[in-house]
Coordinates of all heavy atoms in Angstrom, one line a residue:
S165 N 101.3 -6.1 144.5 CA 102.3 -6.3 145.5 C 102.0 -5.3 146.6 O 101.3 -4.3 146.4 CB 103.7 -6.1 145.0 OG 104.0 -7.0 143.9
A166 N 102.6 -5.6 147.8 CA 102.4 -4.7 148.9 C 103.6 -4.6 149.9 O 104.4 -5.6 149.9 CB 101.1 -5.1 149.7
W167 N 103.7 -3.5 150.6 CA 104.7 -3.3 151.6 C 104.1 -2.4 152.7 O 103.4 -1.5 152.4 CB 106.0 -2.7 151.1 CG 107.0 -2.4 152.2 CD1 107.9 -3.2 152.7 CD2 107.0 -1.1 152.9 NE1 108.6 -2.5 153.7 CE2 108.1 -1.2 153.8 CE3 106.3 0.1 152.8 CZ2 108.4 -0.2 154.7 CZ3 106.7 1.1 153.6 CH2 107.7 1.0 154.6
S168 N 104.5 -2.7 153.9 CA 104.3 -1.7 155.0 C 105.4 -2.1 156.1 O 105.9 -3.2 156.1 CB 102.9 -1.7 155.6 OG 102.7 -2.8 156.4
P169 N 105.6 -1.2 157.0 CA 106.6 -1.5 158.0 C 106.3 -2.8 158.8 O 107.2 -3.4 159.3 CB 106.6 -0.3 159.0 CG 106.1 0.8 158.1 CD 105.2 0.2 157.1
N170 N 105.0 -3.1 159.0 CA 104.7 -4.3 159.8 C 104.1 -5.5 159.0 O 103.7 -6.5 159.5 CB 103.6 -3.9 160.8 CG 104.2 -2.8 161.8 OD1 105.3 -2.9 162.2 ND2 103.4 -1.8 162.0
L171 N 104.1 -5.3 157.6 CA 103.6 -6.4 156.8 C 104.5 -7.6 156.8 O 105.7 -7.4 156.6 CB 103.3 -5.9 155.4 CG 102.7 -6.9 154.4 CD1 101.3 -7.2 154.9 CD2 102.6 -6.3 153.0
T172 N 104.0 -8.8 156.9 CA 104.7 -10.0 156.8 C 104.4 -10.8 155.5 O 103.3 -10.6 155.0 CB 104.4 -10.9 158.0 OG1 103.1 -11.3 157.9 CG2 104.7 -10.2 159.3
P173 N 105.3 -11.6 155.1 CA 105.0 -12.5 153.9 C 103.7 -13.3 154.1 O 103.0 -13.5 153.1 CB 106.2 -13.4 153.7 CG 107.3 -12.6 154.4 CD 106.7 -11.9 155.5
E174 N 103.5 -13.7 155.3 CA 102.3 -14.6 155.6 C 101.0 -13.7 155.4 O 100.0 -14.2 154.7 CB 102.3 -15.1 157.0 CG 103.5 -16.2 157.2 CD 104.8 -15.5 157.3 OE1 104.9 -14.3 157.6 OE2 105.8 -16.3 157.1
R175 N 101.0 -12.5 155.9 CA 99.8 -11.7 155.8 C 99.6 -11.3 154.3 O 98.5 -11.2 153.8 CB 99.9 -10.4 156.6 CG 99.7 -10.7 158.1 CD 99.7 -9.4 158.9 NE 98.9 -8.4 158.3 CZ 99.1 -7.1 158.3 NH1 100.3 -6.6 158.7 NH2 98.3 -6.2 157.7
A176 N 100.7 -11.0 153.6 CA 100.5 -10.7 152.2 C 99.9 -11.9 151.4 O 99.1 -11.7 150.6 CB 101.9 -10.3 151.6
A177 N 100.4 -13.1 151.7 CA 99.9 -14.3 151.0 C 98.4 -14.5 151.3 O 97.7 -14.9 150.5 CB 100.7 -15.5 151.5
E178 N 98.0 -14.2 152.6 CA 96.6 -14.4 152.9 C 95.7 -13.4 152.1 O 94.6 -13.7 151.8 CB 96.4 -14.1 154.4 CG 97.0 -15.2 155.3 CD 96.9 -14.8 156.8 OE1 96.4 -13.7 157.1 OE2 97.4 -15.6 157.7
A179 N 96.3 -12.2 151.8 CA 95.5 -11.3 151.1 C 95.7 -11.5 149.6 O 95.0 -10.8 148.8 CB 96.0 -9.8 151.4
G180 N 96.5 -12.5 149.2 CA 96.6 -12.8 147.7 C 97.5 -11.9 147.0 O 97.3 -11.7 145.8
V181 N 98.4 -11.2 147.7 CA 99.3 -10.3 147.0 C 100.8 -10.7 147.2 O 101.1 -11.4 148.1 CB 99.1 -8.8 147.5 CG1 97.7 -8.4 147.3 CG2 99.6 -8.6 148.9
T182 N 101.7 -10.2 146.4 CA 103.1 -10.4 146.5 C 103.7 -9.5 147.6 O 103.4 -8.3 147.6 CB 103.8 -10.2 145.2 OG1 103.2 -11.1 144.2 CG2 105.3 -10.5 145.3
F183 N 104.6 -10.1 148.4 CA 105.2 -9.4 149.5 C 106.5 -8.7 149.0 O 107.3 -9.3 148.3 CB 105.6 -10.3 150.6 CG 106.4 -9.7 151.7 CD1 105.8 -8.9 152.6 CD2 107.8 -9.9 151.8 CE1 106.6 -8.3 153.7 CE2 108.5 -9.4 152.8 CZ 108.0 -8.5 153.7
A184 N 106.6 -7.4 149.3 CA 107.9 -6.7 149.0 C 108.6 -6.4 150.3 O 108.0 -6.0 151.3 CB 107.6 -5.3 148.3
A185 N 109.9 -6.6 150.3 CA 110.7 -6.6 151.5 C 111.0 -5.1 152.0 O 111.1 -4.9 153.2 CB 112.0 -7.3 151.4
T186 N 111.0 -4.2 151.0 CA 111.3 -2.8 151.3 C 110.4 -1.9 150.5 O 109.9 -2.3 149.4 CB 112.8 -2.4 151.1 OG1 113.0 -2.5 149.6 CG2 113.7 -3.4 151.8
L187 N 110.3 -0.6 150.9 CA 109.5 0.3 150.1 C 110.2 0.6 148.7 O 109.5 0.5 147.7 CB 109.4 1.6 150.8 CG 108.6 2.7 150.1 CD1 107.3 2.3 149.6 CD2 108.5 4.0 151.0
P188 N 111.5 0.8 148.6 CA 112.1 0.9 147.3 C 111.9 -0.3 146.4 O 111.7 -0.1 145.2 CB 113.6 1.2 147.6 CG 113.6 1.8 148.9 CD 112.5 1.1 149.7
E189 N 111.9 -1.5 147.0 CA 111.7 -2.7 146.2 C 110.3 -2.7 145.6 O 110.0 -3.1 144.5 CB 111.9 -3.9 147.1 CG 111.7 -5.2 146.3 CD 111.8 -6.4 147.3 OE1 112.9 -6.5 147.9 OE2 110.9 -7.3 147.3
L190 N 109.3 -2.3 146.5 CA 107.9 -2.2 146.0 C 107.8 -1.2 144.9 O 107.2 -1.4 143.8 CB 107.0 -1.8 147.1 CG 105.5 -1.6 146.8 CD1 104.9 -3.0 146.4 CD2 104.8 -0.9 147.9
A191 N 108.4 0.0 145.1 CA 108.3 1.1 144.1 C 108.9 0.7 142.8 O 108.4 1.0 141.7 CB 109.0 2.3 144.6
Q192 N 110.0 -0.1 142.8 CA 110.8 -0.4 141.6 C 109.9 -1.3 140.7 O 110.1 -1.3 139.5 CB 112.0 -1.2 142.0 CG 113.0 -1.5 140.9 CD 114.3 -2.2 141.4 OE1 114.3 -2.7 142.5 NE2 115.3 -2.1 140.6
T193 N 108.9 -2.0 141.2 CA 108.1 -2.9 140.4 C 106.7 -2.4 140.2 O 105.8 -3.1 139.8 CB 108.1 -4.3 141.0 OG1 107.5 -4.2 142.4 CG2 109.5 -4.9 141.1
S194 N 106.4 -1.1 140.5 CA 105.1 -0.6 140.5 C 104.8 0.4 139.4 O 105.4 1.5 139.4 CB 104.8 0.1 141.9 OG 104.8 -0.8 142.9
D195 N 104.0 0.0 138.5 CA 103.5 0.9 137.5 C 102.5 2.0 138.1 O 102.4 3.1 137.6 CB 102.8 0.2 136.3 CG 103.7 -0.7 135.6 OD1 104.7 -0.3 135.1 OD2 103.4 -1.9 135.5
V196 N 101.9 1.5 139.2 CA 101.0 2.4 140.0 C 101.4 2.1 141.4 O 101.4 1.0 141.9 CB 99.5 2.1 139.8 CG1 98.7 3.1 140.7 CG2 99.1 2.3 138.3
L197 N 101.8 3.2 142.1 CA 102.1 3.1 143.6 C 101.1 3.9 144.3 O 100.9 5.1 144.1 CB 103.5 3.6 143.9 CG 104.0 3.5 145.3 CD1 104.2 2.0 145.6 CD2 105.3 4.3 145.5
T198 N 100.4 3.3 145.3 CA 99.3 3.9 146.0 C 99.4 3.7 147.5 O 99.9 2.7 147.9 CB 97.9 3.4 145.5 OG1 96.8 4.1 146.2 CG2 97.7 1.9 145.7
V199 N 99.1 4.8 148.3 CA 99.4 4.8 149.7 C 98.1 4.6 150.5 O 97.1 5.4 150.3 CB 100.1 6.1 150.1 CG1 100.5 6.1 151.6 CG2 101.3 6.4 149.2

Side-chain angles (χ1 to χ4, degrees):
S165 301
W167 172 88
S168 76
N170 301 314
L171 183 63
T172 64
E174 293 75 19
R175 283 184 53 217
E178 289 174 3
V181 306
T182 301
F183 173 76
T186 67
L187 177 56
E189 179 183 309
L190 177 71
Q192 189 175 20
T193 60
S194 298
D195 296 306
V196 180
L197 184 67
T198 181
V199 184

